[in-house]
């Protein structure tokens, strides 16, 4: 290989991270709760959309909402009757996360264990990167 050819290869864009690195996990507890909520809505064409939006006390916040509209860059997660979609921009901030549903003395809520978050608020609904 010539030096010119080797140098031009160094300028090439790095490959996209493997899909596994950009995946989001769903615990059995979260899947069960999502499946339950979808059944309660009685709308077979709906799914739960998890998104990251600007705001909250730490800079970004998690948004959980029912949706019908799919996007070309959505990550689709299906587990035990649960259907979740995450858009590509949110996925960049959620990659490697695990979505859980926790019930304790303080109440019941979805929790995101996000390895990309450098800090989060006390209630865990917003984070910074």
């Amino acid at each position: 290989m010539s030096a010119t050819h080797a140098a031009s290869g160094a300028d090439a864009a790095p490959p996209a991270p493997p899909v596994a690195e950009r995946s989001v996990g769903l615990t059995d507890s979260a899947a069960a709760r999502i499946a339950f909520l979808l059944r309660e809505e009685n709308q077979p064409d709906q799914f739960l959309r998890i998104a990251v939006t600007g705001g909250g006390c730490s800079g970004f916040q998690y948004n959980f909402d029912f949706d019908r509209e799919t996007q070309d860059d959505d990550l689709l997660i299906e587990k035990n009757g649960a259907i979740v979609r995450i858009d590509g921009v949110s996925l960049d901030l959620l990659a490697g996360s695990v979505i859980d549903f926790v019930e304790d003395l303080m109440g019941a809520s979805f929790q995101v264990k996000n390895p990309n978050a450098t800090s989060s608020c006390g209630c865990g609904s917003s984070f910074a990167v």
Side-chain angles (χ1 to χ4, degrees):
M1 180 183 320
S2 71
T4 305
H5 183 45
S8 66
D11 294 336
V19 173
E21 288 180 20
R22 291 179 34 94
S23 67
V24 174
L26 198 60
T27 66
D28 289 340
S29 176
R33 185 62 178 179
I34 293 166
F36 169 79
L37 293 171
L38 289 172
R39 283 191 307 274
E40 288 292 306
E41 286 293 309
N42 198 23
Q43 298 289 329
D45 59 338
Q46 284 191 341
F47 51 85
L48 182 70
R49 177 167 297 283
I50 301 173
V52 174
T53 58
C57 53
S58 295
F60 293 102
Q61 61 189 5
Y62 302 112
N63 185 11
F64 297 84
D65 201 6
F66 291 108
D67 197 354
R68 287 186 173 92
E69 302 294 322
T70 61
Q71 299 176 19
D72 291 338
D73 64 348
D74 277 350
L75 169 70
L76 171 64
I77 304 169
E78 293 181 290
K79 182 176 182 176
N80 302 336
I83 302 169
V84 176
R85 288 187 178 269
I86 302 170
D87 67 273
V89 173
S90 296
L91 182 57
D92 287 342
L93 296 167
L94 289 169
S97 294
V98 175
I99 311 300
D100 195 8
F101 183 75
V102 177
E103 294 181 88
D104 58 24
L105 293 175
M106 299 299 289
S109 64
F110 286 103
Q111 296 181 359
V112 180
K113 295 174 176 76
N114 188 342
N116 305 303
T118 58
S119 64
S120 64
C121 66
C123 67
S125 65
S126 68
F127 68 101
V129 291

